[in-house]
Amino acid sequence: MGIIGHIGRYFLLLRETFSRPERAGIFWRRTLEEMDLLGVQSLGIVALLSAFMGAVITIQTKTNIDSPLIQAWVVGFATRQSVILEFSPTVISLILAGKVGSNIAAEIGSMRVKEQIDALDIMGVNSAGYLILPKLAATILINPFLVMISMFLGIFGGWLAGVQAGVISSDDFILGIQTGFKPFHVTYALIKTVVFAFIITTISAYQGYFTRGGTREVGISSTRAVVYSNVVILLANLVLTRVLLL
Amino acid sequence: MIEVQGLSKRFGDNQVLTDISAVFEQGKVNQIIGMSGSGKSVLTKCMVGLHRPEEGRVLYNGRSFHDMNDEEKRQVRQRIGMLFQGSALFDSLTVLENVIFPLRMFGAMPKSEMEDRARECLKLVRIQDKDDLFPSQISGGMQKRVGIARAIAMEPKYLFCDEPNSGLDPQTAILIDDLIKELTEEYNTTTIVVTHDMNSVMETGENIIFIHQGRKWWQGSRQELLNSDNTELNEFIYAGSLMRQVKEAMSRRS
Ligand SMILES: Nc1ncnc2c1ncn2[C@@H]1O[C@H](COP(=O)(O)OP(=O)(O)O)[C@@H](O)[C@H]1O
Ligand SMILES: [Mg+2]
């Protein structure tokens, strides 16, 4: 199947996903389960990555702009901007595409090859809606929180590393992160996060849903889910940044 | 009763089924037999609407399935119970939850009643005290039986079983055959069993359809099966030594 065929089938799957939802009670229970699996269980990796990356960003910024002409607080300012605008929404989403995307594709893919999706269809359940919608709701609701936690920990990691390494004083760093703060940048980051969550979940679900064959193919779907999600996230990042920031 | 008329199905260049017509009777165990890869599973999946055939129709009590609107299809599907070749139990649900699943999605009964109904179905397939185990924690034979319990939870009028006893020890296989026969009689279902096990053909087959190279090669009863002179059918039936011995014993007697 060519790329056009895949895109067409992807949108048909989306339409199917949103048509004829299950009973609200069942939907919300499944969404909560998915929030735990896809969101809460990603907290550890997100926290770890953010703190360390924030630390490295601060130290690198300091070495890059080590000049008597530039005031000390700029390091704090630059750390905040990098973390909020790009690191937390985009890099964390790429990481989540790896973790959550492969999980979604593998789960739905193995349900496909084990005929569990056929079993749902036979019962008259809308399998696409039943399987995909709760995951989509879960990632769209919880990824913004993950990213906000990432922003906080990234900046905190930068502060800790900067002060510890003696590259910046605590006061300068705090002055820096307060300087020229635009709330819209957080909005921009969260809009990106929600769009990326949609991309990760739907592309990975698509890969899983149309798996054919056996366990080997489930592995292939899972890899494709990550690769395609990443590529589409990068494209969407560019488009959104042009539209929202310029 | 289910009637298949002129059904053909292909995947890409692979013509899997060609012009199949057959009647599956109510209250009987109708069997589809044939070598693996001959298209038996694809035929059943076309019948229940999981695959869309290029040509032909499937009639449920005289109404063409593929011409029904979504709501009508849903209603027919809720009357279909299906046991899949690999059981297809939901991994993340326990045995009891698997059987409750269709009731919870569509039934309108309170929770305790659903549980009672599910336990009743599990009892019918002789599974007890396994409620809280997950499918991966029970044997293949038990998984099949739980699959049957799930298939009958909604009191289906049409029961499809794809190789219900393949990969099982002979005793469990016979147990499952008997169970399917029992359920068919008790609920007067139109039962369709896909199998390549001659044992279960001789045990339970009432209306037998032999698929060869994607075509309906032969159809008849158990007695007719043994007296058939259809070459491919005979090759299929007498591939195992047990059936050859049966044949020899029969010819000695006559
Ligand atoms: N979803 C599918 N897509 C493409 N080909 C399929 C699909 N399902 C079955 N086939 C092909 O149809 C043929 C018959 O398969 P099947 O009905 O499973 O045989 P069996 O009689 O053993 O149940 C095989 O050649 C198989 O490769
Ligand atoms: Mg088969």
Side-chain angles (χ1 to χ4, degrees):
Chain A
M1 194 189 298
I3 177 105
I4 303 293
H6 279 291
I7 292 173
R9 200 168 60 162
Y10 167 82
F11 282 106
L12 285 178
L13 180 66
L14 276 190
R15 199 181 65 180
E16 189 67 28
T17 302
F18 287 104
S19 70
R20 204 158 53 77
E22 300 307 332
R23 294 175 183 174
I26 293 176
F27 172 76
W28 282 113
R29 224 192 56 197
R30 298 248 311 122
T31 302
L32 286 177
E33 287 168 11
E34 298 292 350
M35 281 170 88
D36 179 47
L37 177 74
L38 303 176
V40 177
Q41 293 187 29
S42 303
L43 252 177
I45 180 90
V46 167
L48 193 72
L49 261 158
S50 304
F52 276 83
M53 288 297 290
V56 171
I57 289 170
T58 300
I59 296 171
Q60 283 186 353
T61 308
K62 172 66 184 169
T63 55
N64 287 341
I65 61 170
D66 200 7
S67 147
L69 297 176
I70 296 173
Q71 287 173 295
W73 58 263
V74 172
V75 172
F77 172 82
T79 300
R80 183 200 73 206
Q81 290 299 84
S82 310
V83 167
I84 289 184
L85 289 176
E86 200 53 23
F87 172 74
S88 289
T90 309
V91 178
I92 289 297
S93 290
L94 291 171
I95 300 294
L96 288 174
K99 184 174 184 294
V100 169
S102 59
N103 176 298
I104 290 174
E107 185 189 327
I108 297 182
S110 49
M111 289 189 74
R112 167 62 76 191
V113 301
K114 288 157 104 182
E115 297 183 307
Q116 292 171 24
I117 294 184
D118 288 340
L120 287 171
D121 288 332
I122 268 297
M123 291 174 196
V125 177
N126 170 7
S127 59
Y130 178 79
L131 293 174
I132 302 172
L133 207 54
K135 292 186 194 297
L136 190 58
T139 52
I140 282 182
L141 286 173
I142 208 158
N143 283 16
F145 284 98
L146 289 175
V147 165
M148 284 195 283
I149 290 168
S150 162
M151 288 174 181
F152 173 78
L153 287 177
I155 293 169
F156 177 75
W159 169 80
L160 195 66
V163 173
Q164 277 293 310
V167 300
I168 185 170
S169 75
S170 180
D171 286 346
D172 280 336
F173 191 91
I174 289 167
L175 174 64
I177 61 176
Q178 289 172 333
T179 303
F181 175 71
K182 292 200 186 114
F184 178 71
H185 285 172
V186 175
T187 311
Y188 154 81
L190 294 180
I191 291 173
K192 291 209 297 188
T193 303
V194 167
V195 172
F196 297 162
F198 185 88
I199 290 170
I200 294 168
T201 311
T202 55
I203 288 184
S204 305
Y206 171 81
Q207 290 298 335
Y209 197 82
F210 291 106
T211 304
R212 288 267 170 271
T215 42
R216 204 180 74 93
E217 283 76 9
V218 173
I220 294 173
S221 294
S222 173
T223 308
R224 280 200 190 132
V226 178
V227 173
Y228 294 155
S229 302
N230 280 345
V231 171
V232 177
I233 284 175
L234 293 175
L235 289 175
N237 190 30
L238 184 60
V239 172
L240 284 174
T241 303
R242 285 216 50 172
V243 171
L244 294 174
L245 282 195
L246 282 187
Chain B
M1 190 182 85
I2 307 177
E3 196 175 348
V4 172
Q5 294 176 343
L7 189 143
S8 296
K9 174 72 194 168
R10 64 166 188 277
F11 294 104
D13 296 333
N14 182 8
Q15 184 73 37
V16 177
L17 297 174
T18 313
D19 194 25
I20 301 223
S21 298
V23 173
F24 300 87
E25 293 162 47
Q26 186 169 5
K28 279 193 182 175
V29 177
N30 302 270
Q31 285 184 330
I32 301 175
I33 61 173
M35 291 192 307
S36 39
S38 56
K40 305 182 296 294
S41 296
V42 172
L43 176 57
T44 53
K45 285 185 181 173
C46 286
M47 290 173 67
V48 299
L50 287 174
H51 289 321
R52 208 188 164 88
E54 278 77 40
E55 273 164 67
R57 306 197 298 169
V58 179
L59 306 179
Y60 282 84
N61 288 332
R63 301 256 297 110
S64 166
F65 183 79
H66 293 278
D67 294 339
M68 292 178 193
N69 65 32
D70 285 352
E71 190 48 42
E72 291 171 309
K73 277 185 185 165
R74 227 153 104 96
Q75 280 170 10
V76 171
R77 280 190 164 169
Q78 282 171 26
R79 310 260 63 187
I80 295 177
M82 186 154 186
L83 171 66
F84 287 85
Q85 209 166 332
S87 301
L89 298 177
F90 303 119
D91 299 315
S92 57
L93 303 181
T94 63
V95 164
L96 188 70
E97 286 166 348
N98 261 284
V99 183
I100 289 180
F101 187 87
L103 300 168
R104 203 184 67 199
M105 296 306 278
F106 301 108
M109 32 171 115
K111 195 160 182 271
S112 61
E113 232 172 276
M114 285 190 222
E115 286 185 7
D116 290 345
R117 170 73 191 147
R119 288 214 175 81
E120 192 185 315
C121 293
L122 284 167
K123 205 169 150 200
L124 274 174
V125 299
R126 325 253 190 303
I127 293 214
Q128 265 156 332
D129 307 323
K130 299 277 186 278
D131 288 3
D132 297 326
L133 295 182
F134 286 92
S136 58
Q137 296 170 313
I138 59 177
S139 71
M142 281 189 198
Q143 290 178 11
K144 297 247 165 151
R145 282 186 277 158
V146 175
I148 295 177
R150 185 178 69 182
I152 60 174
M154 296 282 285
E155 300 185 3
K157 282 167 65 185
Y158 313 99
L159 182 62
F160 289 79
C161 302
D162 196 348
E163 303 202 6
N165 53 16
S166 67
L168 302 182
D169 61 90
Q171 269 165 317
T172 312
I174 289 169
L175 177 76
I176 287 185
D177 283 338
D178 291 345
L179 204 58
I180 290 171
K181 199 179 169 74
E182 220 175 277
L183 293 168
T184 303
E185 280 161 11
E186 186 167 334
Y187 295 106
N188 196 25
T189 56
T190 305
T191 300
I192 289 136
V193 174
V194 171
T195 186
H196 47 214
D197 175 18
M198 282 314 294
N199 224 337
S200 58
V201 174
M202 298 320 293
E203 281 287 323
T204 56
E206 293 174 271
N207 173 30
I208 299 157
I209 289 159
F210 174 57
I211 304 283
H212 185 66
Q213 294 178 345
R215 290 172 190 274
K216 187 178 92 175
W217 216 257
W218 184 91
Q219 176 167 11
S221 68
R222 227 179 321 179
Q223 287 71 31
E224 290 166 325
L225 183 87
L226 291 174
N227 300 318
S228 160
D229 51 9
N230 186 309
T231 322
E232 287 77 14
L233 179 62
N234 281 325
E235 267 170 24
F236 176 79
I237 306 174
Y238 301 115
S241 63
L242 177 67
M243 286 304 293
R244 268 201 304 276
Q245 284 164 21
V246 170
K247 176 97 171 169
E248 279 158 19
M250 278 179 34
S251 54
R252 266 203 302 278
R253 226 188 298 160
S254 60

